[in-house]
């Protein structure tokens, strides 16, 4: 996860919940041919996270809600022990990539 967070593994890292930021970073780091744009392609996308627990669906407004919910439930937490640190590293990699653009 340290190599991912420090942008040593990939040219760019994107996050589904942040399509505009992902598009801007991808356009700068891995441009599409023929003048196409990642940002334009992702402009109208929206990612809604839904967590279903015991047949109750809870809409989550952002990734932090999901992470907080998972960290409070032992069954979910055990299933996500590797995913949460990886996702946090991906968020950091996206932030570092975006800050390098300015």
């Amino acid at each position: 996860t340290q190599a991912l967070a420090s942008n040593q593994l990939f040219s760019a890292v994107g996050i589904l919940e942040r399509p505009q930021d992902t598009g801007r970073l991808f356009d700068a780091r891995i441009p599409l041919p023929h003048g196409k744009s990642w940002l334009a392609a992702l402009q109208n996308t929206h990612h809604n996270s839904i967590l279903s627990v015991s047949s109750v669906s809870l809409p989550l407004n952002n990734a932090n809600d999901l992470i907080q919910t998972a960290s409070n439930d032992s069954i979910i937490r055990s299933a996500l022990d590797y995913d949460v640190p990886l996702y946090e590293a991906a968020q950091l990699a996206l932030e570092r990539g975006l800050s390098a653009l300015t």
Side-chain angles (χ1 to χ4, degrees), residues 53-68:
V53 180
S54 302
S55 74
V56 175
S57 292
L58 305 169
L60 302 173
N61 295 324
N62 60 48
N64 292 330
D65 289 347
L66 178 60
I67 291 168
Q68 184 61 43

Side-chain angles (χ1 to χ4, degrees), residues 38-97:
W38 287 104
L39 183 58
L42 297 171
Q43 195 69 34
N44 294 319
T45 62
H46 183 69
H47 178 75
N48 285 325
S49 295
I50 300 281
L51 176 65
S52 297
V53 180
S54 302
S55 74
V56 175
S57 292
L58 305 169
L60 302 173
N61 295 324
N62 60 48
N64 292 330
D65 289 347
L66 178 60
I67 291 168
Q68 184 61 43
T69 300
S71 67
N72 292 331
D73 185 288
S74 62
I75 295 170
I76 294 173
R77 190 175 57 242
S78 68
L80 296 178
D81 275 346
Y82 297 103
D83 289 344
V84 171
L86 185 60
Y87 186 80
E88 289 171 347
Q91 287 183 7
L92 184 56
L94 178 62
E95 288 301 325
R96 286 186 174 161

